Amino acid sequence: MGDLRPVGLFDSGVGGLTVAREVFRLLPHESMIYFGDTAHVPYGPRRTEELIRFAREIIAFLLSSRVKYIIFACGTNSSLTLPVVRALYDVPMIGLVEPGAQEAVKSTRNGRIGIIATEATVKSGAYERAIKSLALETAVFAVPAPRLVPLVEAGLSTSEEARRAVFEYARPLKKAGIDTLILGCTHYPFLASHFTDCLGPEVTLVDPAKATVLRAREEMNRLGILNNPGGRVAHSYYVSGDPARFQKTADLLGCCIENVQRLQLEEALPAGSG
Ligand code: DGL
């Protein structure tokens, strides 16, 4: 028998579903517990201390659900909280930054890489550091895009408003002559067609999710914690806000999920945990 314990994923909302879909594809024998902190979305404008508090509460919940591995399915948490909290837990964890940076460095031909992400992620400089540690000479252009997450969460990813916002944010990157763009927030792959329309097909869009889940698979294999093919697989979804709203947005985005449950972390966790 393999390791039946689930893999834990978390994000501020529906963005992490772009990582979950890679889990379904690349780790089809694994069960998953997903937490969307929709009561606190968007994370992008928040302070690091607050994000760390949320992340610790979510991790405590995931650990109480016996997860064997945690994927930070959020660019903001991958950039700001993972480097702080990793040392506090025994459970193995991975974020999107290093795998995404590696993909981008592999992809660029002209050494000009763009990053589009939340304000917090851009301010952290995490992607830029990761890219420079791999290829010092790379020119990096980072643009914060605060309007995009609320539009995706509102189910408006295909709207004219979302398209206009993407064009506004991506235009300076086009001018800068990038040939590779990291979608540094997990909500943005839902807007990929707008980015391609603005930047043209010659600019490669890097969604760090695939490289991250591949790396997670390697690590889980090395640790001997993969589930066996044929083992029981079940996925559960929890949100801190309105489950019906989350379900509706996920449906609009073409994500097949069900049984979304509401969970308020302060109520669910024993005092002092996290
Ligand atoms: N999807 C998350 C990220 O990758 C969170 C964005 C937000 O809530 O602002 O950064």
Side-chain angles (χ1 to χ4, degrees):
M1 250 224 318
D3 191 331
L4 289 166
R5 291 175 301 158
V7 173
L9 264 68
F10 73 97
D11 180 45
S12 61
V14 291
L17 296 176
T18 61
V19 184
R21 67 187 177 193
E22 296 299 335
V23 171
F24 303 148
R25 211 164 59 82
L26 299 166
L27 289 167
H29 311 299
E30 299 300 331
S31 296
M32 181 194 74
I33 297 192
Y34 185 98
F35 188 84
D37 193 7
T38 52
H40 296 132
V41 69
Y43 276 172
R46 292 183 185 274
R47 289 179 321 122
T48 309
E49 298 72 47
E50 193 177 28
L51 292 169
I52 290 173
R53 181 161 57 81
F54 296 156
R56 294 194 64 177
E57 285 177 1
I58 295 166
I59 291 167
F61 159 66
L62 293 173
L63 291 177
S64 73
S65 309
R66 298 188 58 251
V67 298
K68 59 185 173 186
Y69 194 95
I70 297 179
I71 301 178
F72 281 47
C74 169
T76 309
N77 272 286
S78 301
S79 303
L80 287 141
T81 69
L82 179 59
V84 179
V85 304
R86 194 198 288 276
L88 306 176
Y89 301 94
D90 288 334
V91 67
M93 301 173 171
I94 193 168
L96 301 148
V97 175
E98 281 76 24
Q102 204 164 37
E103 267 310 281
V105 167
K106 254 197 272 168
S107 138
T108 187
R109 295 162 304 279
N110 71 2
R112 300 173 83 76
I113 295 177
I115 299 158
I116 186 137
T118 64
E119 314 88 293
T121 298
V122 169
K123 230 190 280 162
S124 78
Y127 268 107
E128 186 158 354
R129 277 194 302 280
I131 290 168
K132 297 271 188 189
S133 76
L134 296 166
L136 191 58
E137 301 304 307
T138 313
V140 177
F141 305 89
V143 170
R147 275 166 33 226
L148 300 186
V149 167
L151 285 165
V152 174
E153 286 291 327
L156 295 172
S157 55
T158 56
S159 67
E160 189 47 39
E161 193 182 348
R163 186 181 164 83
R164 268 205 308 272
V166 166
F167 271 63
E168 211 176 287
Y169 292 128
R171 234 177 249 126
L173 293 167
K174 191 180 166 90
K175 265 209 193 119
I178 59 159
D179 71 352
T180 300
L181 175 65
I182 299 178
L183 301 178
C185 165
T186 52
H187 283 73
Y188 300 172
F190 290 127
L191 302 165
S193 61
H194 301 316
F195 281 106
T196 301
D197 287 350
C198 176
L199 296 168
E202 58 284 0
V203 173
T204 305
L205 301 182
V206 171
D207 171 0
K210 182 178 168 201
T212 304
V213 176
L214 279 172
R215 229 195 247 190
R217 186 171 73 182
E218 266 166 39
E219 196 180 357
M220 286 166 67
N221 186 33
R222 192 159 35 79
L223 296 170
I225 57 171
L226 285 171
N227 194 14
N228 282 343
R232 196 177 50 83
V233 173
H235 306 309
S236 342
Y237 300 87
Y238 296 90
V239 293
S240 51
D242 179 3
R245 192 184 156 154
F246 185 86
Q247 176 79 60
K248 193 170 159 212
T249 309
D251 288 348
L252 277 171
L253 293 167
C255 304
C256 291
I257 66 168
E258 47 190 21
N259 295 326
V260 184
Q261 295 168 63
R262 182 181 196 137
L263 185 87
Q264 270 164 322
L265 290 175
E266 316 81 66
E267 290 166 18
L269 293 171
S273 64

